[in-house]
Amino acid sequence: MADVAGVTGEQLKSYIERIERLEEEKKALAEDVKEVYAEAKGNGFDTKVMRKLISLRKMNASDRAEQEELLDLYKTAIGMA
Amino acid sequence: MADVAGVTGEQLKSYIERIERLEEEKKALAEDVKEVYAEAKGNGFDTKVMRKLISLRKMNASDRAEQEELLDLYKTAIGMA
Amino acid sequence: MADVAGVTGEQLKSYIERIERLEEEKKALAEDVKEVYAEAKGNGFDTKVMRKLISLRKMNASDRAEQEELLDLYKTAIGMA
Amino acid sequence: MADVAGVTGEQLKSYIERIERLEEEKKALAEDVKEVYAEAKGNGFDTKVMRKLISLRKMNASDRAEQEELLDLYKTAIGMA
């Protein structure tokens, strides 16, 4: 590996390769997620609603309840309920 | 429009509708961009390279030259040039 | 403008500039959307809930009702309601 | 876990939890990637150029050479070289 104008090729390559390995692992996990959704869909589950459920589960119960209440309030206020 | 628990339906609806109109316009512009790329492609231009060119044009000339030089340096340092 | 290896500089530049103008307009609209949300926030509205409301409004009423019903069903099924 | 209107809570919850675990792992890997870039930056490397290098390394050498050549051609054609 060349040392070019102060750039240590060895060090740079090790950073690059570490990042590439991590990105590979991330890509594999994204594939796994897709497979689980496909399996659930195959068993009749609605994946869009599953995604909503998962995003709701990221919130704590009180924030979730507060947001759902406010959403209902806004719907009513604009005549959408 | 209801005033519900202090939420002014009129005001909320006007914000919502303004945002929806702006999002519509944005969507139309995105369609226009897609059409221009499709037209260019139809005339034999490589749209991936066009996108790179457009992103390079966002940089000023000296930053661009500096980045290209550093990229060459890094390529050489890791034996990729 | 040069004609280089069959690439008509004039034609390429016109595509590039059309795309850049459209992207500029899109950026300006995105700024406008941000401003409306900021104005709404300044008047006490919850912008996260507004975004949810806007995404719900993109669905037709029956799809929306069906999705909300299924979400409640899933919540109950996993003991989350 | 309830069985509600034919929705098997047990099965749904296992899909949800599998997805959440995978998403957690993905998030951790994304953090690791950020840490490697931060470490590289701390050692004087330009992370923007590193990202460009990584995206170039995803292409095979001949595609990369072809794209770089076409980019230079387009730059010259619109008087940007």
Side-chain angles (χ1 to χ4, degrees), chain D residues 7-8 10-12 14 17 21 23-24 26-27 29 34-35 40 46 52 57 70 73 75 78:
Chain D
V7 171
T8 352
E10 206 66 47
Q11 198 182 16
L12 176 60
S14 101
E17 287 172 349
R21 267 195 309 277
E23 296 286 4
E24 262 324 296
K26 242 174 83 186
K27 217 168 112 191
L29 285 171
K34 258 166 83 179
E35 273 163 34
D46 181 313
K52 284 212 172 196
R57 281 168 55 101
L70 201 55
L73 188 75
K75 281 185 194 172
I78 65 167

Side-chain angles (χ1 to χ4, degrees), chain C:
Chain C
M1 209 65 40
D3 274 20
V4 181
V7 172
T8 351
E10 206 65 48
Q11 197 183 17
L12 176 58
K13 190 140 194 197
S14 100
Y15 286 131
I16 298 283
E17 287 172 349
R18 274 166 67 191
I19 290 164
E20 285 174 341
R21 267 195 309 277
L22 290 166
E23 295 286 5
E24 263 322 297
E25 283 178 53
K26 242 175 81 186
K27 217 169 114 192
L29 285 171
E31 271 311 307
D32 294 347
V33 169
K34 259 167 83 180
E35 273 163 33
V36 178
Y37 274 118
E39 195 186 316
K41 189 169 187 176
N43 281 306
F45 289 105
D46 182 314
T47 52
K48 242 189 216 168
V49 176
M50 284 175 71
R51 285 176 199 276
K52 284 213 171 193
L53 197 60
I54 285 171
S55 79
L56 287 175
R57 281 168 56 102
K58 284 179 185 150
M59 300 169 73
N60 69 49
S62 71
D63 289 349
R64 196 169 60 227
E66 201 188 302
Q67 198 181 73
E68 281 168 4
E69 205 185 305
L70 201 55
L71 185 58
D72 285 337
L73 189 76
Y74 280 16
K75 280 186 196 172
T76 311
I78 64 168
M80 190 183 140

Side-chain angles (χ1 to χ4, degrees), chain B residues 35-50, chain C residues 4-8 11-12 15, chain D residues 66 70 73-74:
Chain B
E35 273 163 34
V36 178
Y37 274 118
E39 195 186 316
K41 189 170 187 176
N43 280 306
F45 289 104
D46 181 313
T47 53
K48 243 189 215 169
V49 176
M50 283 175 71
Chain C
V4 181
V7 172
T8 351
Q11 197 183 17
L12 176 58
Y15 286 131
Chain D
E66 202 188 302
L70 201 55
L73 188 75
Y74 281 16

